[in-house]
């Protein structure tokens, strides 16, 4: 099986074609082809087949057909497939990171970190027999036992963003599948190769055909998944406007939905913070992956008289050695952004901050990258004097841009964060335990770091923001993931003794 590279097209000296995986077989049906960039060099590297409605319906039908047998497969056997899958992910890590780097632009060391986080979700899924244990109460009434069990939903869909082309799909389908569901994944059409390859590895690990299907596509594919009555639940990760649309549409069609959206993550730097530590970790969290992370720290809020000046000076100094460049040079700190349109958008936000009165301390517009003159690069950018009314503050930039704001007290910093529409992640740098505790207790944000810049929960916790960073009640992966991908059923049972017959009872039964 090899849906990643269409060898016929390659032999014809054409661009490689990324297709779909339906019913365990590669499929290249498309109502159009879309170019996929290699952003490091600014050239089209491959094409992706964009599925029409009929192709998505074929994937849903394959998942529906595979469901009864997969549901009946014991959880321990399902988990065994995941154990083999985990090993295959490790054995093929270089190939996966290459695919991520070529299409996304992420440097190999960053792609390896992404994959490791994805593998940890597979490891969590390996515990399926334990995760799916039911809750049992004996003798809730005379001779009556009761238990709750967690049953799979059926066909579940996942729609994922470009910025973690392997990890975010791995947040979803391993757990959904070990819980007994069958799955249709719609990865980002901007970098579809890694997800498709990873899905092929799961089949190599022994997954029966149809349990996991991958369709590449755009709005038409997504809309088909959101409205088809055979799809029971939808997990979405992407930007907030699309998350809101997906949540509204899926729930209006009777589906369970969790839709994770965008972010604007603030770091508070207190006057007592260890500034060296704050600066070095802020830089990694702001510029790693070109700032294209939903947990990237994009705003530093300096508290107190001279904290801002000290912070800006130290950041500017540390940024002198930042190295931006192609994905395949491991000495680079971060790579290009995903498309030329996205580069222009990021640069547009820097322009607007300057126009609206902020000071560009380090200017990353138009960096020179040797050997990659046409790549989609923005260098690390530091902006000081940012105000809450500026466009660059109100919107998610999703680029290597760190903005600094200054306030007088920690409470003012917290009010600023709470007033923002997003509430994904945040961090405080301080040596004061009491301040840190107050901050984590009261801040209206879903994931909080204390001297930890990227507080991305490990696989056995769950990932989710507050406010307009998450639509739905349950976060992604971990314990919330198990609840999202299963439906509780509670059974109450009595085996009457031979010869004992109960009369009709018209009052509400109370067993105890
Ligand atoms: P996006 O919203 O453009 O795309 C996400 C998915 O939605 C893709 O599969 C895409 O094909 C599909 N899509 C796009 N437009 C659509 C439309 N009009 N109708 C239906 N489907 C559509 O997001 P992106 O640019 O790929 O990813 C970046 C965004 O994702 C950022 O906002 C980032 O913060 C967010 N993100 C959030 C999290 C989180 O956990 N909260 C994690 C990663 C990324």
């Amino acid at each position: 099986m090899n849906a990643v590279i269409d060898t016929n097209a390659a032999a014809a000296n054409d661009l490689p074609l990324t297709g779909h995986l339906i019913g365990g077989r590669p499929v290249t049906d498309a109502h159009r082809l879309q170019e996929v960039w290699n952003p490091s060099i600014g050239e089209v590297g491959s094409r992706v087949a964009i599925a029409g409605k009929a192709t998505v319906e074929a994937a849903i039908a394959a998942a529906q057909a595979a469901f009864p047998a997969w549901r009946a497969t014991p959880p321990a056997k399902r988990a065994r497939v995941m154990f083999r899958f985990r090993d295959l992910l490790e054995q093929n890590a270089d190939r996966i990171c290459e695919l991520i780097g070529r299409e996304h632009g992420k440097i190999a060391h960053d792609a390896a970190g992404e994959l490791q986080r994805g593998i940890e979700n597979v490891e969590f899924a390996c515990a399926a027999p334990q995760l799916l244990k039911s809750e049992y109460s004996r003798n809730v009434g005379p001779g009556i036992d009761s238990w709750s069990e967690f049953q799979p939903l059926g066909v579940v869909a996942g729609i994922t963003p470009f910025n973690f082309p392997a990890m975010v799909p791995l947040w979803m389908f391993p757990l959904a599948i070990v819980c007994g569901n069958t799955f249709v994944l719609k990865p980002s059409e901007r970098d579809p190769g890694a997800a498709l390859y990873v899905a092929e590895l799961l089949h190599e690990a022994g997954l029966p055909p149809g349990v996991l299907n991958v369709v590449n596509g755009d709005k038409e594919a997504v809309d088909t998944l959101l409205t088809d009555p055979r799809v029971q639940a939808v997990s979405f990760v992407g930007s907030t406007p699309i998350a809101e649309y997906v949540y509204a549409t899926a729930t209006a069609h009777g589906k369970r939905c969790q839709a994770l959206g965008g972010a604007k993550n603030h770091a508070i730097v207190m006057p007592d913070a260890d500034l060296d530590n704050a600066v070095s970790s802020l830089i990694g969290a702001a510029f790693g992956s070109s700032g294209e992370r939903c947990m990237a720290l994009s705003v530093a809020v300096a508290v107190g008289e001279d904290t801002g000046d000290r912070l800006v000076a130290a950041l500017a100094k540390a940024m002198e050695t930042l190295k931006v460049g192609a994905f395949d040079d491991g000495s680079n700190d971060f790579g290009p952004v995903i498309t030329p349109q996205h580069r222009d958008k990021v640069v547009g936000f820097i322009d607007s901050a300057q126009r609206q009165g902020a000071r560009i301390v380090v200017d990353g517009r138009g960096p020179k990258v040797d050997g990659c003159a046409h790549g989609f690069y923005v260098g690390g950018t530091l902006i000081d004097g940012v105000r809450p009314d500026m466009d660059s503050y109100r919107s998610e930039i999703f680029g290597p841009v760190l903005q600094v704001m200054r306030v007088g007290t920690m409470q003012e910093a917290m009010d600023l964060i709470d007033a923002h529409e997003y509430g994904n992640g945040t961090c405080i740098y301080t040596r004061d335990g009491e301040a840190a505790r107050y901050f984590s207790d009261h801040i209206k944000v879903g994931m909080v770091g204390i001297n930890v810049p990227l507080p991305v929960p490990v696989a056995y916790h769950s990932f989710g923001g507050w406010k307009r960073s998450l639509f739905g009640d349950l976060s992604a992966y971990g314990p919330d993931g198990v609840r999202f991908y299963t439906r509780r059923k509670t059974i109450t049972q009595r085996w009457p003794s031979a010869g004992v017959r109960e009369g009709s009872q018209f009052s509400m039964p109370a067993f105890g």
Side-chain angles (χ1 to χ4, degrees):
M1 177 197 314
N2 189 348
V4 174
I5 304 292
D6 174 347
T7 42
N8 288 335
N13 206 17
D14 210 340
L15 288 168
L17 177 66
T18 301
H20 323 288
L21 191 57
I22 298 176
R25 293 153 49 104
V27 172
T28 49
D29 293 354
H31 75 128
R32 70 183 172 86
L33 299 180
Q34 183 167 312
E35 293 172 334
V36 178
W37 290 105
N38 175 341
S40 294
I41 53 173
E43 287 177 9
V44 173
S46 61
R47 297 164 304 158
V48 58
I50 298 293
K53 191 172 181 357
T55 307
V56 181
E57 286 177 342
I60 297 170
Q64 177 90 330
F67 178 60
W70 185 245
R71 177 192 198 275
T73 304
K77 275 199 169 171
R78 295 185 213 138
R80 229 165 271 146
V81 176
M82 290 298 156
F83 276 105
R84 289 192 291 268
F85 179 45
R86 181 206 171 280
D87 289 348
L88 286 172
L89 289 171
E90 287 208 327
Q91 287 158 21
N92 294 281
D94 287 348
R95 168 88 171 123
I96 298 166
C97 292
E98 223 271 321
L99 280 167
I100 295 173
R102 185 143 44 95
E103 295 184 344
H104 175 281
K106 207 172 273 201
I107 313 298
H109 51 75
D110 187 21
E114 158 170 4
L115 179 60
Q116 174 58 27
R117 278 301 183 115
I119 287 173
E120 287 167 14
N121 283 273
V122 179
E123 289 167 345
F124 181 77
C126 288
Q130 172 70 20
L131 298 171
L132 294 171
K133 268 162 95 169
S134 54
E135 297 163 351
Y136 190 86
S137 297
R138 189 178 152 73
N139 235 19
V140 295
I144 301 176
D145 303 328
S146 186
W147 71 93
S148 294
E149 59 189 40
F150 301 95
Q151 299 194 344
L153 306 174
V155 179
V156 174
I159 300 153
T160 55
F162 82 84
N163 66 318
F164 284 106
M167 182 186 79
V168 173
L170 288 169
W171 282 2
M172 298 176 182
F173 69 77
L175 194 53
I177 285 172
V178 288
C179 287
N181 301 283
T182 54
F183 205 90
V184 180
L185 174 69
K186 208 294 292 167
S188 172
E189 66 277 33
R190 285 185 270 178
D191 49 10
L196 193 58
Y197 179 58
V198 159
E200 289 179 3
L201 291 179
L202 183 52
H203 285 81
E204 205 178 314
L207 192 77
V211 175
L212 171 63
N213 306 274
V214 181
V215 283
N216 280 302
D218 54 16
K219 182 170 167 52
E220 182 175 341
V222 172
D223 286 346
T224 306
L225 293 169
L226 298 181
T227 54
D228 191 296
R230 291 168 293 181
V231 175
Q232 303 298 315
V234 176
S235 293
F236 173 90
V237 176
S239 60
T240 285
I242 310 297
E244 193 165 28
Y245 166 76
V246 163
Y247 185 79
T249 311
T251 53
H253 285 80
K255 302 181 197 320
R256 185 179 285 193
C257 185
Q258 54 179 186
L260 283 71
K264 192 81 175 176
N265 306 312
H266 300 64
I268 297 183
V269 182
M270 296 291 283
D272 69 345
D274 173 344
L275 205 66
D276 289 344
N277 173 54
V279 165
S280 61
S281 76
L282 254 172
I283 286 202
F287 304 123
S289 203
S290 300
E292 291 174 325
R293 289 180 182 144
C294 65
M295 290 292 276
L297 283 178
S298 52
V299 183
V301 189
V303 176
E305 290 245 309
D306 70 338
T307 313
D309 291 343
R310 288 191 292 125
L311 179 68
V312 169
L315 283 168
K317 175 107 195 65
M319 286 173 68
E320 284 170 9
T321 56
L322 272 185
K323 196 167 165 234
V324 59
F327 80 93
D328 51 3
D329 177 350
S331 72
N332 290 325
D333 295 313
F334 61 94
V337 298
I338 185 78
T339 56
Q341 295 79 10
H342 190 58
R343 176 198 53 204
D344 295 347
K345 186 176 150 197
V346 173
V347 168
F349 276 120
I350 303 171
D351 294 343
S352 80
Q354 190 168 30
R355 242 187 352 260
Q356 292 172 353
R359 184 168 73 92
I360 313 297
V361 182
V362 180
D363 192 346
R365 288 171 288 191
K368 206 173 150 313
V369 179
D370 289 341
C372 299
H374 303 293
F376 312 140
Y377 294 99
V378 183
T381 298
L382 181 65
I383 308 180
D384 194 7
V386 173
R387 295 187 318 268
D389 60 311
M390 291 180 175
D391 295 335
S392 63
Y393 177 72
R394 294 209 317 269
S395 307
E396 180 184 41
I397 299 178
F398 225 52
V401 180
L402 177 59
Q403 306 193 81
V404 179
M405 306 175 84
R406 292 146 186 264
V407 295
T409 64
M410 183 173 98
Q411 190 57 54
E412 281 175 61
M414 289 177 64
D415 291 345
L416 195 63
I417 296 171
D418 287 346
H420 207 285
E421 70 168 307
Y422 299 121
N424 215 40
T426 187
C427 163
I428 187 167
Y429 290 103
T430 183
R431 288 185 166 102
D432 181 342
E434 188 184 358
R437 194 163 188 275
Y438 180 84
F439 175 72
S440 65
D441 230 15
H442 295 280
I443 198 74
K444 294 189 177 77
V445 172
M447 292 169 283
V448 178
I450 295 164
N451 299 313
V452 171
L454 292 179
V456 177
V458 291
Y460 40 97
H461 286 253
S462 296
F463 183 109
W466 285 15
K467 298 186 278 182
R468 289 171 60 75
S469 293
L470 171 67
F471 301 88
D473 302 318
L474 290 168
S475 296
Y477 68 75
D480 270 20
V482 179
R483 289 292 165 266
F484 184 78
Y485 294 125
T486 56
R487 193 174 276 152
R488 177 188 292 266
K489 182 177 279 180
T490 304
I491 297 138
T492 304
Q493 170 181 275
R494 173 167 58 193
W495 295 104
S497 308
V500 177
R501 290 283 173 271
E502 284 228 344
S504 303
Q505 186 185 335
F506 295 96
S507 54
M508 182 69 185
F511 302 133

